[in-house]
Amino acid sequence: MIIQPKTRGFICTTAHPEGCAKQVEEQVDYVKAQPAIKGPKNVLVVGASTGYGLASRITAAFGSGANTVGVFFDKAAEGQRTASAGWYNSAAFEQEAQAQGLKSFSIVGDAFSDGIKSATIELIKAELGTVDLVVYSVASPRRTHPVTGETFSSVIKPVGEAYTNKTLNFHTGEVSFTTIEPATEDEVTQTIAVMGGEDWRLWIQQLSEAGVLAQGATTVAYSYIGPEITHAIYREGTIGKAKNHLEQTAKELHGLLSRNGGRAFVSVNKALVTQSSSAIPVVPLYISALYQVMKEKGLHENCIQQIYRLFSEHLYPAGESALDGSALIRIDDWEMRADVQEEVMKRWSELETGNVTELADLEGYREDFFQLFGFKTAGVDYEADVDPAVAIPNQS
Ligand code: NAD
């Protein structure tokens, strides 16, 4: 079938298998062109199929020669419906990894469930023995609690009072003002239950109790802080409360793991176009302006560049580790540089529909968005007939 993008707001309901494979290949090539990392050898990535999790799996495998287990929630193709992008990405990843002689396994299902945790533990026991790095990169709108069976939904809202700011419809290029009403207390609690650290802690506890965490194992999860203008909707909003919980969890896990020489961190990453970030009001306009400024200054990085830097400079540096023992690693340092932020803020006050293509990188945003689903990728013939049914080699 001929696969074209079909968008509904910030969602694209189709994905292109060859485009996704090409995107994965480009990330693999980037990592292979960098100096090798003396890093982990057996890695579990939870939330491994897109965005920062996929970049982590690729960096571990092709930067450090690691065997990997990826856990993710994606759908296979069915009839005329294409698979989701994460499915095609993972199929391409597995092929590349196996061609390189690396072991790789994919577990498709709900990472929040006990069943998927047990299946992952059994797989690690059978195939790898232990893992020495666990990356937790799940971004989800809902979570069913494994013990109580209660389903929680996360919302992206301010806390305390309504918030008004500029936002962007990146399809049309229209800049308008949006007002978001504050979250209720229950919405804050539910967002923390979905995006806070509880599930990460459960993973580490269960892996540890099952004896599949190697001596000295490291774990890392991802967070965001961002500039003043997005604080009300992000860092001081519902999602920020969840990130506070995640960061607190890192301290607890560090206490637990350090008894065996292990470590737990939260890495604060740069704002980038992913399926999750495109759903947050205000953020796509901020990212478009940020991209333009960072590209002009030669500072722009994508997911794979960010994660390669995280591994090679922070988690597994060649020389002495610069980590100061605090649970937070900042790879958002270039985004938060004073000169970058000053320029973005200057543009922010002027941004409107008439000047958005001049002051912000709307084209770059759109390109990144469509590339998430395997579209707008050089070297792919989008008029050609392709089979949407693609198997993931080592999937359970
Ligand atoms: P993403 O949407 O690209 O990836 C989310 C991953 O989670 C996918 O692999 C998906 O399959 C998986 N997933 C979702 N629900 C699942 C479930 N129930 N079971 C198993 N897997 C599930 O998101 P992302 O932007 O890469 O976000 C990853 C982390 O990075 C999040 O913690 C996010 O807050 C953080 N982060 C993102 C940005 C950004 O700008 N995108 C910046 C800093 C930090």
Side-chain angles (χ1 to χ4, degrees):
M1 90 197 224
I2 293 171
I3 305 172
Q4 298 289 343
K6 275 201 198 114
T7 56
R8 228 182 321 119
F10 49 79
I11 291 169
C12 184
T13 56
T14 52
H16 200 284
E18 287 176 13
C20 288
K22 195 106 191 38
Q23 292 292 331
V24 169
E25 191 188 313
E26 282 172 16
Q27 294 197 43
V28 169
D29 288 347
Y30 172 80
V31 173
K32 280 185 176 172
Q34 310 305 313
I37 299 163
K38 231 172 146 231
K41 287 296 158 225
N42 291 307
V43 177
L44 168 63
V45 182
V46 188
S49 62
T50 55
Y52 277 118
L54 174 65
S56 306
R57 195 178 186 191
I58 291 173
T59 303
F62 297 94
S64 180
N67 302 313
T68 60
V69 177
V71 178
F72 50 87
F73 214 9
D74 278 276
K75 288 208 175 86
E78 213 186 307
Q80 285 301 296
R81 208 191 59 208
T82 72
S84 52
W87 181 278
Y88 292 138
N89 290 340
S90 303
F93 171 86
E94 288 242 355
Q95 273 170 4
E96 298 254 359
Q98 286 170 22
Q100 188 86 7
L102 300 169
K103 287 189 185 177
S104 72
F105 306 92
S106 293
I107 295 188
V108 182
D110 182 6
F112 299 133
S113 69
D114 277 346
I116 287 294
K117 290 185 179 73
S118 308
T120 308
I121 287 168
E122 289 315 311
L123 181 83
I124 295 170
K125 272 188 191 160
E127 299 288 347
L128 305 175
T130 56
V131 287
D132 50 359
L133 172 66
V134 180
V135 177
Y136 188 85
S137 187
V138 174
S140 173
R142 83 194 55 77
R143 168 177 175 230
T144 298
H145 196 280
V147 177
T148 65
E150 194 179 343
T151 298
F152 302 103
S153 295
S154 71
V155 296
I156 297 163
K157 290 187 177 181
V159 173
E161 52 188 68
Y163 165 71
T164 300
N165 213 327
K166 290 177 191 176
T167 197
L168 170 71
N169 177 332
F170 59 86
H171 294 297
T172 62
E174 189 196 350
V175 176
S176 60
F177 278 90
T178 184
T179 297
I180 305 143
E181 294 303 322
T184 62
E185 226 168 271
D186 183 50
E187 286 174 321
V188 175
T189 310
Q190 294 212 26
T191 306
I192 295 172
V194 179
M195 289 296 288
E198 188 187 17
D199 186 57
W200 183 26
R201 183 169 49 74
L202 289 174
W203 269 100
I204 297 302
Q205 274 174 349
Q206 292 182 25
L207 292 163
S208 168
E209 283 161 15
V212 295
L213 269 190
Q215 174 99 16
T218 296
T219 187
V220 64
Y222 298 137
S223 185
Y224 183 64
I225 294 179
E228 197 76 36
I229 43 160
T230 63
H231 276 182
I233 187 71
Y234 197 97
R235 195 62 216 197
E236 284 155 19
T238 47
I239 185 80
K241 302 287 173 211
K243 291 301 184 190
N244 289 345
H245 187 270
L246 187 82
E247 289 164 19
Q248 189 52 40
T249 304
K251 289 185 192 144
E252 288 164 25
L253 291 179
H254 191 76
L256 190 82
L257 295 179
S258 59
R259 288 185 221 141
N260 263 327
R263 317 174 292 171
F265 300 107
V266 161
S267 171
V268 182
N269 300 353
K270 176 194 180 189
L272 280 172
V273 182
T274 64
Q275 293 185 38
S276 302
S277 69
S278 53
I280 308 174
V282 184
V283 166
L285 184 60
Y286 166 72
I287 289 182
S288 307
L290 178 74
Y291 271 29
Q292 178 108 319
V293 171
M294 291 189 82
K295 283 177 184 176
E296 279 171 15
K297 290 180 180 285
L299 293 173
H300 180 68
E301 291 173 303
N302 55 25
C303 281
I304 197 71
Q305 290 169 314
Q306 276 266 289
I307 297 299
Y308 178 81
R309 188 152 70 91
L310 171 67
F311 275 55
S312 62
E313 292 183 15
H314 297 276
L315 294 176
Y316 305 101
E320 241 342 74
S321 169
L323 291 172
D324 58 4
S326 79
L328 277 196
I329 298 173
R330 302 296 298 261
I331 55 167
D332 64 339
D333 46 353
W334 298 354
E335 169 182 355
M336 299 313 290
R337 243 172 61 169
D339 60 323
V340 171
Q341 284 302 320
E342 268 163 35
E343 184 55 34
V344 174
M345 289 314 117
K346 198 170 130 241
R347 291 172 191 220
W348 189 263
S349 58
E350 295 165 20
L351 269 167
E352 55 186 28
T353 308
N355 62 20
V356 66
T357 51
E358 189 192 317
L359 297 183
D361 185 18
L362 182 58
E363 263 325 295
Y365 190 100
R366 282 182 183 146
E367 189 173 86
D368 275 16
F369 177 80
F370 285 104
Q371 286 182 349
L372 296 176
F373 305 93
F375 299 106
K376 287 193 190 260
T377 301
V380 177
D381 179 1
Y382 291 105
E383 301 307 321
D385 211 6
V386 280
D387 184 358
V390 173
I392 300 178
N394 256 332
Q395 181 236 322
S396 50

